[in-house]
Amino acid sequence: MRILITAGPTREYIDPVRFISNPSTGTLGFLIAERAKERGYDVIIIAGPCNIPQLKGIKVISVESALEMKNRVEENFQFVDVLIMTAAVSDWRPARVYKQKIKIKKEWNLKLVPNPDILQCISMGKKENQIVVGFALESKNILENAKKKLKKKKVDLIVANPVSNFGNTLKKTEMFLLFSDGRIKKVLCTKKHLAYLLLREVEILVSRKNRTV
Ligand code: C5P
């Protein structure tokens, strides 16, 4: 099985020294990659800036912006069976990127434009036997919002977790696995255990698809 995983934040530059980003550490994506490698799969990670040491036998493609991540995902998706989008992609980017460091002393407005939804674009064009997994990080109405995202983004599985999970690696957190066939599984686990559970679910989805295609 070939698995493509995205991880970490994206950086949307305003000028050469400033950017918009978020506190994603990329930990979960790398834990899933490690687990997938242990299971004998071919793994590629497309990662925004994260401080995680290289993993033996795993190809890491480094990116910064959401647009860069989208290009790399599109190039690689056709060659894989599974895409797992753990990346915390910035929803917006500055409408204009200044070439020189901005020197504005007074109050000013920064215009932002929406970034494309990588997950949605990819799952729209996926082949029948490809599996796409997304994440939903929510500050309230976790299940309700995740259900909407599952439908809108047309993914096979979405993992819903609370924002308190950002940067947290050791603590157990309550999360929900929502499947496109309507099943919902509640889990209470660490990120490491989630990586294990998620891959098990992905393996089941892949074998079911291969039976029906
Ligand atoms: O930001 P949101 O909660 O909508 O993200 C849900 C899922 O969509 C995540 O898997 C994330 O990686 C993905 N996403 C994306 N492109 C964006 C925003 C989010 O692929 N522009």
Side-chain angles (χ1 to χ4, degrees):
M1 190 153 76
R2 290 153 300 173
I3 301 191
L4 180 62
I5 300 166
T6 66
T10 64
R11 281 182 184 174
E12 313 299 329
Y13 277 89
I14 302 167
D15 72 9
V17 292
R18 302 173 180 112
F19 54 79
I20 295 170
S21 193
N22 61 67
S24 168
T25 58
T27 309
L28 180 62
F30 279 78
L31 284 172
I32 297 171
E34 213 174 357
R35 178 73 194 148
K37 191 74 207 164
E38 279 168 18
R39 303 279 298 140
Y41 304 138
D42 278 343
V43 187
I44 300 176
I45 303 185
I46 298 177
C50 358
N51 284 321
I52 296 178
Q54 288 269 337
L55 301 172
K56 221 173 153 200
I58 297 178
K59 182 179 172 187
V60 180
I61 300 173
S62 299
V63 298
E64 285 203 283
S65 68
L67 292 181
E68 232 184 303
M69 183 174 278
K70 180 172 182 278
N71 287 339
R72 297 288 95 79
V73 171
E74 282 172 349
E75 282 164 17
N76 286 279
F77 184 64
Q78 55 184 312
F79 305 113
V80 301
D81 306 289
V82 179
L83 167 68
I84 304 179
M85 283 277 319
T86 73
V89 184
S90 174
D91 291 311
W92 310 280
R93 66 179 186 279
R96 169 180 174 193
V97 184
Y98 291 78
K99 283 212 170 73
Q100 307 300 332
K101 189 176 169 193
I102 306 166
K103 295 198 189 312
I104 302 171
K105 295 251 161 47
K106 56 179 176 24
E107 189 180 306
W108 67 295
N109 291 315
L110 176 66
K111 186 175 174 192
L112 301 176
V113 292
N115 268 328
D117 191 314
I118 305 171
L119 188 59
Q120 197 171 338
C121 296
I122 288 289
S123 49
M124 295 292 179
K126 80 181 172 90
K127 285 182 251 152
E128 194 56 39
N129 59 346
Q130 286 179 305
I131 298 288
V132 175
V133 179
F135 278 74
L137 195 70
E138 302 294 341
S139 54
K140 60 174 187 177
N141 303 335
I142 298 182
L143 258 182
E144 218 173 285
N145 288 331
K147 273 183 198 165
K148 282 185 199 151
K149 279 183 193 170
L150 176 79
K151 282 220 173 81
K152 186 170 160 236
K153 303 196 186 211
K154 294 199 164 43
V155 291
D156 299 280
L157 165 58
I158 204 155
V159 181
N161 55 147
V163 280
S164 58
N165 222 9
F166 236 173
N168 154 36
T169 27
L170 299 172
K171 229 177 70 196
K172 284 186 181 176
T173 311
E174 186 178 274
M175 293 175 256
F176 297 92
L177 273 55
L178 292 84
F179 298 82
S180 56
D181 62 7
R183 282 177 301 132
I184 298 177
K185 285 190 184 176
K186 185 160 106 175
V187 295
L188 176 69
C189 61
T190 59
K191 283 188 177 170
K192 193 165 183 181
H193 194 204
L194 178 68
Y196 168 84
L197 292 177
L198 187 63
L199 274 177
R200 217 173 52 184
E201 295 296 348
V202 165
E203 286 168 357
I204 296 169
L205 289 174
V206 169
S207 66
R208 274 191 199 158
K209 283 242 170 159
N210 287 335
R211 246 181 279 142
T212 52
V213 171

